[in-house]
Amino acid sequence: MAGILARAGATAGLRRHQQETSWGGRRRRLSSAVVVAAVTGAAPQEGALERPAWSGETPVSRLVAALIAFKPLYSLMKLASREVIIRTAEKSNIPWREMTKKVLESDVYEVFERIRDPNIVYPDYYLSPFHAYDEGNLSWLAAAEAEAATLSIAKRAIPEATSIQEANNIVRGNWMNAIEEHHLKYSGRNCQINDILDIGCSVGVSTRYLAERFPSAKAVGLDLSPYFLAVAAQKEEQLSRQNPICWVHANGEATGLPSDSFDIVSLAYVCHECPARAIIGLAKEAFRLLRPGGTIALTDNSPKSKVLQELSPVLFTLMKSTEPFLDEYYMLDLEEALSQAGFVNVHSILTDPRHRTVTATVPY
């Protein structure tokens, strides 16, 4: 009973804080550790290693890489990984197939023609198969399944949550708390959030959370996939918002947007899909786009997560079979990459048992 009451109190408290807090009159939000602990019974834990033993150049990692390199076996792994992802989601009451069907049978194809920039040149890494899609993110199936996949991320992170919505509120709430707390602490005289850029916005889930958290700000969602953006824009057209979200089809490493034009640049679950050179390029572009005192926030898998370090061989092998740049992500010192790009006040916090949020500031 005590656990149920604690869970209910934490969820209600998080929702109440989100509703009552504004940039004109703030109340301090629950910390990430407090919210997660109320549901799981413990704060997120780091493992004993700097990164999982199955990543990088370890013997285990090399063995998995050799298995994946064997094409017939890789094809089986890809199918098995996809089946595990969908089955796990549906066991968590995420209507994966229904959500996919709804997108594919909508008028999203008309939106695609309006939003696509035909002059985009895709970087080589973006054309690689990943997430069990041969075309990567450049396909309708990937776009149609993206929101269901995003919901399953939250449930895997907070398996003790009583609902998908509760898990999502915790994962996304902790991420936004980290952004806001960092910005308030380090932005100085530029603490007002007027303009937000969400790089790698996918189908707009993270962008919508940001727009709802900071309703007076103008939010821009940017992605390399016109398929994902079409799904995002089509859903946004059905909503009523004080400041409608603007969707931009562009490369996050070279957006073409004006310098010093944003207060927050967010990358949610983007970096693990990129080679190290692209992550560094994204950091440099974010630095250019942010105003002095602006905040970059990257949330993604944490190499130090105890949960990820203790994944079973079957699970980490299947995961690596659909994530071609995972080793590069885990081997990169993300905090150092941000410092090298010019950021200061670089901080990393475990915002749930699987994910970290890394925040940093553009100096005056």
Side-chain angles (χ1 to χ4, degrees):
M1 178 63 73
I4 295 172
L5 291 175
R7 178 185 290 114
T11 304
L14 177 61
R15 192 176 299 119
R16 185 167 59 252
H17 275 275
Q18 289 173 337
Q19 292 170 344
E20 294 178 353
T21 302
S22 69
W23 282 90
R26 301 183 187 87
R27 289 180 56 183
R28 184 169 179 80
R29 286 182 174 84
L30 295 171
S31 71
S32 304
V34 169
V35 175
V36 174
V39 175
T40 65
Q45 287 187 307
E46 292 187 350
L49 307 174
E50 283 297 307
R51 62 185 63 87
W54 44 261
S55 65
E57 293 300 319
T58 63
V60 173
S61 180
R62 286 196 292 270
L63 174 60
V64 173
L67 293 173
I68 293 171
F70 184 56
K71 295 301 181 184
L73 185 57
Y74 166 73
S75 298
L76 291 175
M77 285 181 183
K78 186 172 65 174
L79 292 173
S81 177
R82 178 173 169 75
E83 182 59 32
V84 166
I85 290 169
I86 295 174
R87 187 171 64 249
T88 301
E90 291 184 334
K91 281 184 178 178
S92 298
N93 297 317
I94 298 170
W96 185 291
R97 291 176 175 83
E98 291 175 32
M99 293 174 72
T100 301
K101 184 172 184 284
K102 183 177 179 181
V103 172
L104 294 175
E105 293 180 353
S106 71
D107 62 354
V108 70
Y109 309 99
E110 299 172 14
V111 182
F112 175 85
E113 294 302 327
R114 298 198 307 267
I115 210 161
R116 181 176 69 97
D117 180 353
N119 299 313
I120 285 285
V121 177
Y122 296 101
D124 57 351
Y125 74 84
Y126 201 73
L127 302 174
S128 301
F130 54 88
H131 289 175
Y133 305 109
D134 290 337
E135 305 87 359
N137 287 341
L138 297 174
S139 76
W140 281 118
L141 184 59
E145 293 184 334
E147 185 163 3
T150 299
L151 291 174
S152 68
I153 289 174
K155 194 64 171 73
R156 285 198 302 271
I158 314 290
E160 297 86 354
T162 57
S163 68
I164 294 299
Q165 188 61 47
E166 182 185 48
N168 223 24
N169 282 346
I170 292 169
V171 170
R172 299 289 180 170
N174 290 347
W175 157 63
M176 290 187 294
N177 287 350
I179 295 174
E180 185 171 349
E181 288 168 9
H182 184 101
H183 195 72
L184 285 171
K185 185 173 182 178
Y186 296 109
S187 62
R189 60 183 179 274
N190 187 31
C191 68
Q192 189 71 26
I193 296 179
N194 297 313
D195 298 282
I196 300 170
L197 175 62
D198 189 24
I199 294 178
C201 68
S202 181
V203 294
V205 174
S206 54
T207 323
R208 290 193 294 273
Y209 267 96
L210 288 164
E212 288 162 11
R213 180 69 165 249
F214 308 107
S216 63
K218 295 177 182 177
V220 176
L222 182 147
D223 204 275
L224 253 177
S225 172
Y227 301 88
F228 283 17
L229 287 172
V231 173
Q234 195 258 357
K235 183 160 188 172
E236 182 69 12
E237 288 173 359
Q238 303 168 23
L239 304 174
S240 176
R241 200 186 298 281
Q242 176 186 338
N243 290 312
I245 297 169
C246 175
W247 307 101
V248 176
H249 182 208
N251 185 342
E253 297 176 69
T255 63
L257 299 173
S259 299
D260 303 332
S261 54
F262 294 95
D263 304 298
I264 302 288
V265 171
S266 169
L267 294 97
Y269 311 110
V270 173
C271 292
H272 77 278
E273 297 182 359
C274 302
R277 68 180 189 276
I279 299 172
I280 292 169
L282 290 165
K284 290 179 178 178
E285 179 69 351
F287 187 85
R288 182 186 72 81
L289 292 169
L290 283 162
R291 298 177 178 121
T295 298
I296 186 174
L298 308 98
T299 191
D300 216 313
N301 295 343
S302 173
K304 295 183 178 181
S305 161
K306 188 173 187 291
V307 172
L308 293 180
Q309 289 187 10
E310 295 177 357
L311 283 180
S312 71
V314 171
L315 285 179
F316 69 65
T317 300
L318 290 178
M319 182 168 66
K320 290 188 74 171
S321 73
T322 64
E323 301 282 5
F325 305 112
L326 203 57
D327 279 338
E328 290 195 48
Y329 167 72
Y330 280 130
M331 294 301 292
L332 178 69
D333 186 334
L334 188 55
E335 292 86 345
E336 179 61 22
L338 291 179
S339 295
Q340 289 294 322
F343 288 97
V344 296
N345 304 319
V346 182
H347 294 282
S348 180
I349 181 174
L350 206 59
T351 39
D352 66 59
R354 284 175 173 255
H355 305 112
R356 62 177 172 177
T357 297
V358 184
T359 48
T361 309
V362 173
Y364 284 97

